[in-house]
Amino acid sequence: MNTRTRTLIYGLLISCILLAGAVVVQRHSALQSRRSEREAIKLYGEKNDELFLELISKFESLQPLSDTLSSISSITDMKDRVHNQMLLDLGKKQADTATDDIIQLIQAADVTEEDEKLRYRVNMLIMTSKKQEDVALLAFSGNLWRAVYNTSSRYWHSEPKVIDRHSLYAMSEAAIEVNALNQTMLTMRARAQSLREQSDAEDTKVRIPLLKQELLDSLAPHLQKLAQINDSYNTEAAK
C-alpha cells in the first residue's frame, strides 16, 4: 500500500469519525432541547395552575356591571343629561374591565391538547388550546363596551335627548345575561377557593384541569349570548 493510498484511507476514516461525532452531538443536542422544552412546559403548567386558582378565587363580581346596565335600561328622565351620561360612562368602563378580567382568566385556563407548545393566538394572548382561542374570541365579541358606547353616542346626538327603545331593550337584555354570568362565576370562584384550601396536593393537581375545562365550557354560552346582543343591537344602531 503506497503513501497516497494510506493517506486517502486515513482521510476517509477521519471523515467518518468526525461525521459520527457530529451525529452524536446533534442527537444529544436534540434530546437536550426536547428535554428542556418538556421541563419548560411542565414548569409553565405548574405556575399556570397557581395563577389560574388565584385569578378565579379573586375574580371580581360582575354584579356592579349588571346593576349599571339595568339602571341604564330603566332611565325615564331623558333630560337629566349629566346623570344619564355618568351612568353610560360607568357602564363602558365596567364592561371593559369585566372583559379584561375574563380574558385574563381564559388565558390562564390552559387545557391539554396534542400539541402542547405555547403559541400566540387571539390578540397575541399566550394559550395552549383551540378551546381557549374559541372562548377568547367570544369574550372579545361579547365586550359590552360597544353596545354601551353606541347607546351613549345615540343619546348624545339625539334631539331631543332620548335613549331609544332599542337601546333600552339591549341594555336590559345585557343586564340579565351579565347577572347569569356572574352567578356562574360565583360558583366557579367557590370551587377554586375550595381547591386552594384543601390539603391533598395530588387531588388538587388532578382537579385543576377539570375546573379549567368546566370554566371554559361554562363561559362559552354566556359570552355567545352577549356577543349576539352586541351584534343585534349594533346592527340596529348602524341603520
Side-chain angles (χ1 to χ4, degrees), residues 8-225:
L8 288 174
I9 293 173
Y10 290 153
L12 287 173
L13 286 173
I14 291 172
S15 297
C16 290
I17 292 171
L18 290 175
L19 180 60
V23 171
V24 170
V25 170
Q26 188 175 23
R27 290 188 61 187
H28 178 72
S29 178
L31 288 171
Q32 286 289 94
S33 177
R34 286 196 292 272
R35 188 178 298 114
S36 296
E37 184 178 337
R38 286 195 298 269
E39 289 173 354
I41 291 173
K42 181 175 181 293
L43 180 60
Y44 172 83
E46 291 173 352
K47 289 184 177 295
N48 187 259
D49 285 347
E50 294 174 9
L51 175 63
F52 172 75
L53 286 182
E54 181 176 359
L55 287 176
I56 196 170
S57 296
K58 297 180 179 179
F59 190 85
E60 293 289 334
S61 172
L62 298 174
Q63 195 58 50
L65 171 59
S66 178
D67 292 343
T68 299
L69 295 171
S70 182
S71 295
I72 294 172
S73 73
S74 302
I75 290 176
T76 54
D77 185 1
M78 299 297 174
K79 295 181 180 180
D80 192 350
R81 294 172 58 181
V82 174
H83 173 265
N84 295 344
Q85 195 58 54
M86 285 179 62
L87 267 182
L88 289 164
D89 289 343
L90 177 61
K92 285 186 289 185
K93 181 179 179 180
Q94 289 175 332
D96 238 1
T97 299
T99 299
D100 287 344
D101 289 347
I102 291 170
I103 290 292
Q104 191 176 25
L105 194 53
I106 292 170
Q107 186 175 209
D110 286 313
V111 292
T112 302
E113 288 187 344
E114 288 184 10
D115 178 8
E116 290 184 319
K117 291 182 179 179
L118 306 183
R119 52 202 172 213
Y120 292 103
R121 287 192 178 263
V122 185
N123 281 17
M124 300 302 287
L125 298 178
I126 302 175
M127 297 179 285
T128 62
S129 69
K130 183 67 167 59
K131 180 71 173 181
Q132 285 170 282
E133 179 184 32
D134 293 341
V135 180
L137 283 169
L138 286 176
F140 282 116
S141 299
N143 186 349
L144 292 170
W145 182 91
R146 291 189 301 153
V148 183
Y149 173 83
N150 281 333
T151 299
S152 176
S153 179
R154 285 160 71 92
Y155 174 62
W156 186 254
H157 290 97
S158 64
E159 287 297 342
K161 295 301 176 193
V162 62
I163 299 179
D164 60 80
R165 61 185 182 86
H166 293 295
S167 300
L168 295 175
Y169 178 75
M171 294 299 100
S172 176
E173 288 290 287
I176 292 171
E177 191 57 38
V178 170
N179 181 65
L181 172 57
N182 187 55
Q183 296 305 311
T184 295
M185 290 308 304
L186 289 176
T187 300
M188 294 290 104
R189 189 169 70 182
R191 295 268 303 283
Q193 289 171 343
S194 176
L195 278 179
R196 294 188 81 185
E197 293 168 1
Q198 78 170 20
S199 57
D200 190 338
E202 286 303 315
D203 185 60
T204 299
K205 190 174 181 179
V206 171
R207 290 178 181 273
I208 289 176
L210 299 177
L211 184 60
K212 288 179 178 181
Q213 186 65 60
E214 184 177 350
L215 173 72
L216 296 175
D217 289 340
S218 299
L219 281 175
H222 293 298
L223 298 177
Q224 178 70 54
K225 177 65 175 178

